[in-house]
């Protein structure tokens, strides 16, 4: 029994250490130059775009495809760009699944910058609530503030009527994204295994052929030795013939081995790197879907509360609503920032994976 307790404590300590290591890696990613570069580029483009609260958000439904946003952040954040990949790989031999990987990672970036735009729209929309909270500090306890109360109700009504920015991607769309990337991951792994099996089969055939060739050479050598015993000329010619046959055998073996290593192994390495990139992408998007869903529900709740307050029109209800908004404001803004940082990390992961795959394609041709 003491051993069981000790092993349980060791397991708990091990899981805690792993969790701390993951958190350290997560925080370390925020301090990298690549992450800071992505943040600065994205923020600059968002500021230049000048998103306003009146900007219309494209409608979306579970059955419709995700519309690309008007900011085109992918053009500034994606590395290497899709045009670069196309130009580089036109003259190189590349498996068709690798091109599907590049297309999938490009599509993932479009989803990411669409959600980034939704975050900015939410921040612009939430400025009404921030203004209401500031006004409430001065007017709720004052009797002669009818005009200010009307302004507060007007802002609350405007906030409650606005479309939830995070509804731009539904839960069913996130499931479709997950399933599409999971299918691509399965195909990459399956093709990798198929190529490895094909390579092993050819190596076995080559070994069997080599054994047969050795047997054939041995038979020829024995014949030459027998001939040498009966002929002085054979004694002189036999070593030359044997040396020539052995040299030919070695050259053929090296040539076949070289073709195998630069063919099957190269494709397997490329597919393996692409599969790892898709695997990371699936995990990132699963996390993103949960964060977006949580924020969407939070915004829906706040809009419903604001609408209820406007419809009721009583000062006591207004005080309770504003108190709730004030108590949860910091947590809500933290969730927005957390989602934004996660999207930047997604861009960073996508860029690293694309560079690695392209390096595998270019470096081993």
């Amino acid at each position: 029994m003491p051993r069981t307790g000790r092993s349980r404590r060791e397991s708990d300590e091990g899981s805690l250490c792993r969790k701390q290591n993951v958190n350290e890696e997560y925080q370390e990613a925020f301090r990298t130059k690549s992450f800071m570069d992505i943040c600065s580029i994205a923020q600059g483009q968002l500021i230049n775009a000048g998103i306003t609260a009146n900007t219309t958000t494209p409608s979306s439904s579970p059955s419709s495809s995700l519309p690309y946003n008007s900011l085109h952040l992918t053009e500034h954040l994606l590395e290497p760009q899709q045009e670069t990949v196309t130009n580089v790989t036109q003259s190189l031999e590349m498996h068709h699944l690798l091109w599907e990987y590049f297309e999938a990672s490009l599509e993932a970036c479009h989803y990411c910058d669409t959600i980034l735009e939704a975050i900015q729209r939410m921040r612009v929309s939430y400025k009404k609530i921030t203004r209401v909270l500031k006004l409430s500090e001065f007017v709720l306890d004052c009797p002669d503030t009818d005009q200010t109360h009307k302004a507060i109700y007007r802002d609350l009504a405007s906030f409650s009527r606005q479309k939830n920015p995070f509804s731009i991607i539904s839960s069913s769309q996130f499931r479709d994204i997950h399933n599409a990337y999971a299918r691509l991951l399965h195909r990459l792994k399956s093709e990798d295994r198929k190529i490895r099996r094909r390579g092993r089969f050819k190596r076995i055939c080559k070994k069997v052929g080599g054994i047969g060739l050795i047997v054939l050479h041995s038979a020829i050598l024995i014949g030459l030795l027998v001939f040498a015993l009966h002929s002085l000329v054979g004694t002189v010619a036999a070593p030359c013939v044997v040396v020539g046959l052995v040299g030919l055998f070695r050259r053929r073996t090296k040539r076949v081995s070289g073709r195998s290593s630069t063919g099957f192994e190269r494709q397997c390495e490329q597919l393996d790197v692409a599969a790892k990139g898709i695997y990371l992408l699936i995990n990132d998007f699963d996390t993103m879907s949960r964060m977006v869903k949580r924020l969407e529900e939070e915004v829906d709740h706040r809009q419903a509360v604001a609408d209820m307050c406007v419809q009721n029109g009583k000062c006591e209800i207004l005080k309770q609503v504003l108190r709730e908004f004030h108590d949860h404001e910091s947590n809500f803004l933290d969730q927005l920032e957390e989602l934004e940082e996660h999207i930047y990390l997604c861009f960073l992961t996508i860029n690293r994976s694309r560079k690695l795959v392209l390096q595998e394609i270019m470096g081993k041709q």
Side-chain angles (χ1 to χ4, degrees), residues 216-233:
L216 177 61
H217 286 180
S218 300
I220 295 174
L221 181 59
I222 293 173
L224 289 174
L225 291 176
V226 172
F227 177 73
L229 294 176
H230 296 82
S231 172
L232 180 61
V233 176

Side-chain angles (χ1 to χ4, degrees), residues 12 21 27 40 55 61 70 76 85 126 128 137 139 171 176 181 191 233 236 267 280 302 305 313 323 360:
D12 293 340
N21 291 335
Q27 293 298 325
S40 60
T55 305
S61 63
S70 58
H76 306 279
V85 174
Y126 199 75
K128 294 182 175 63
E137 297 176 359
V139 303
S171 298
D176 292 341
Y181 292 160
E191 187 68 17
V233 176
V236 176
Q267 281 193 341
L280 294 175
R302 287 170 177 264
V305 170
R323 188 179 301 114
E360 286 292 332

Side-chain angles (χ1 to χ4, degrees), residues 253-316:
T253 302
K254 290 181 179 180
R255 188 162 55 248
V256 172
S257 176
R259 284 199 301 267
S260 176
S261 61
T262 58
F264 295 108
E265 293 179 4
R266 184 184 70 234
Q267 281 193 341
C268 288
E269 290 173 1
Q270 294 171 1
L271 293 173
D272 183 61
V273 173
K276 290 177 180 177
I278 290 295
Y279 175 78
L280 294 175
L281 198 57
I282 291 174
N283 290 338
D284 285 341
F285 265 71
D286 286 346
T287 302
M288 189 190 305
S289 67
R290 292 190 293 269
M291 298 171 74
V292 170
K293 182 62 177 178
R294 183 177 61 181
L295 278 168
E296 182 183 5
E297 292 175 349
E298 182 70 20
V299 173
D300 285 340
H301 171 72
R302 287 170 177 264
Q303 288 181 328
V305 170
D307 182 66
M308 180 269 296
C309 178
V310 173
Q311 296 297 328
N312 186 279
K314 294 182 179 180
C315 186
E316 289 300 323

Side-chain angles (χ1 to χ4, degrees), residues 53 120-129 159 162 165:
Q120 298 306 314
R121 293 181 190 278
M122 187 67 252
R123 284 183 172 141
V124 171
S125 176
Y126 199 75
K127 287 181 179 179
K128 294 182 175 63
I129 301 300
F159 174 75
Q162 287 183 351

Side-chain angles (χ1 to χ4, degrees), residues 4-21:
T4 303
R6 188 183 303 111
S7 63
R8 183 177 301 172
R9 286 195 300 271
E10 292 175 353
S11 176
D12 293 340
E13 292 175 357
S15 62
L16 179 60
C17 291
R18 286 193 297 270
K19 183 176 180 180
Q20 290 176 346
N21 291 335

Side-chain angles (χ1 to χ4, degrees), residues 34 92 197 223 227 229 295 349 355:
S34 300
L92 301 178
R197 285 196 300 267
F227 177 73
L229 294 176
L295 278 168
T349 302
K355 290 177 182 178

